[in-house]
Amino acid sequence: MFWIFAAIVIAGFVPVIVSLVRTSRAMWQGTEPHNVSLLFVDTAMAVSPTVLSHPLPDGYRLSSLYFGAGLIDRTRTLDLGFPYEIMDDIPALSPAPADFASLCAERAGDLVAEARATNKKLHVLWSGGIDSTTALAALLTALGNETDRLVVFMNAASRKEYPKFFKTHVKRLKTVQIKTVGAAFKDDAIVVTGEHGDQLFGSAKALEHSISGFRRPWETAL
């Protein structure tokens, strides 16, 4: 009886799936622009001068290829050449925005408060780079003498990248040597990383250029 029921359900889904596939293919064919809002355009799509038959402006296309990621205007003011949807609008700015150091301290304080309230550890994925070191330094300040709640997940490359910080701060903390970041994910822990810090510090793109390249106008680099 179960297999008969399953066969009926699957048979009902197949025409729907086929219809969706045909619709999807149709959107990418033809010459008329399709009024479908996209969440983002990745680099593979940016290679083409058009997307869904909408012409991509060279500035947008080349910027996406340069940064290795699709770019979305969260202010909704730029004409990207195609209809797009914003999933997370930019929050309203406060009358007097705090400086970056204050924002880091505030966020670290929130994380420490959450760890105390839920009785969880703080697992920090420390690569030795500026992004994760910023997160770790802010947490150390917020924790004060309560560093037993903190566990640093790292490897030999982390220590090699920032030996002075390791010797001065990390060495006195509890550390775990790992091969994959998954080792830090536990139900009784809050995982903190420096991920997305490159958007602030630009370290990922910096690896591709010589120091002299940073003295050029940004238009030249793009």
Side-chain angles (χ1 to χ4, degrees):
M1 179 64 73
F2 171 78
W3 294 110
I4 295 175
F5 174 76
I8 293 174
V9 171
I10 293 173
F13 275 122
V14 168
V16 176
I17 294 173
V18 171
S19 175
L20 288 174
V21 170
R22 287 176 177 170
T23 302
S24 177
R25 286 178 178 174
M27 289 194 313
W28 293 93
Q29 297 171 353
T31 57
E32 293 298 321
H34 297 277
N35 189 26
V36 177
S37 296
L38 300 180
L39 296 178
F40 69 97
V41 173
D42 61 23
T43 51
M45 297 160 70
V47 170
S48 170
T50 63
V51 58
L52 293 181
S53 299
H54 293 277
L56 286 181
D58 284 343
Y60 175 84
R61 190 170 62 85
L62 295 176
S63 296
S64 295
L65 292 174
Y66 174 78
F67 287 110
L71 307 178
I72 286 295
D73 172 28
R74 293 172 68 198
T75 68
R76 304 174 190 265
T77 57
L78 298 178
D79 180 9
L80 303 184
F82 58 89
Y84 58 93
E85 183 68 28
I86 303 298
M87 296 183 66
D88 50 346
D89 287 307
I90 296 178
L93 290 176
S94 60
D99 58 75
F100 183 60
S102 298
L103 292 172
C104 289
E106 180 181 344
R107 183 63 184 133
D110 291 343
L111 289 169
V112 170
E114 181 182 349
R116 289 170 179 160
T118 57
N119 194 29
K120 291 184 176 182
K121 295 283 189 180
L122 287 162
H123 288 184
V124 180
L125 290 164
W126 183 62
S127 68
I130 189 171
D131 308 324
S132 57
T133 300
T134 298
L136 179 53
L139 286 173
L140 286 174
T141 302
L143 283 167
N145 295 326
E146 200 181 349
T147 55
D148 58 333
R149 192 179 291 278
L150 186 68
V151 183
V152 179
F153 288 77
M154 54 175 289
N155 57 23
S158 309
R159 180 176 180 175
K160 184 177 180 181
E161 183 160 353
Y162 202 165
K164 184 177 180 180
F165 191 84
F166 174 84
K167 186 181 296 184
T168 306
H169 300 286
V170 179
K171 191 175 182 179
R172 63 183 177 85
L173 303 171
K174 181 178 179 181
T175 61
V176 177
Q177 301 290 318
I178 60 172
K179 293 183 178 179
T180 61
V181 297
F185 288 84
K186 305 293 182 182
D187 291 336
D188 61 345
I190 298 172
V191 180
V192 182
T193 80
E195 197 61 43
H196 305 305
D198 282 331
Q199 283 86 329
L200 297 172
F201 297 113
S203 51
K205 290 276 79 172
L207 296 175
E208 301 177 8
H209 301 282
S210 63
I211 295 299
S212 61
F214 296 122
R215 299 189 178 96
R216 297 180 301 167
W218 65 268
E219 295 93 341
T220 304
L222 287 178

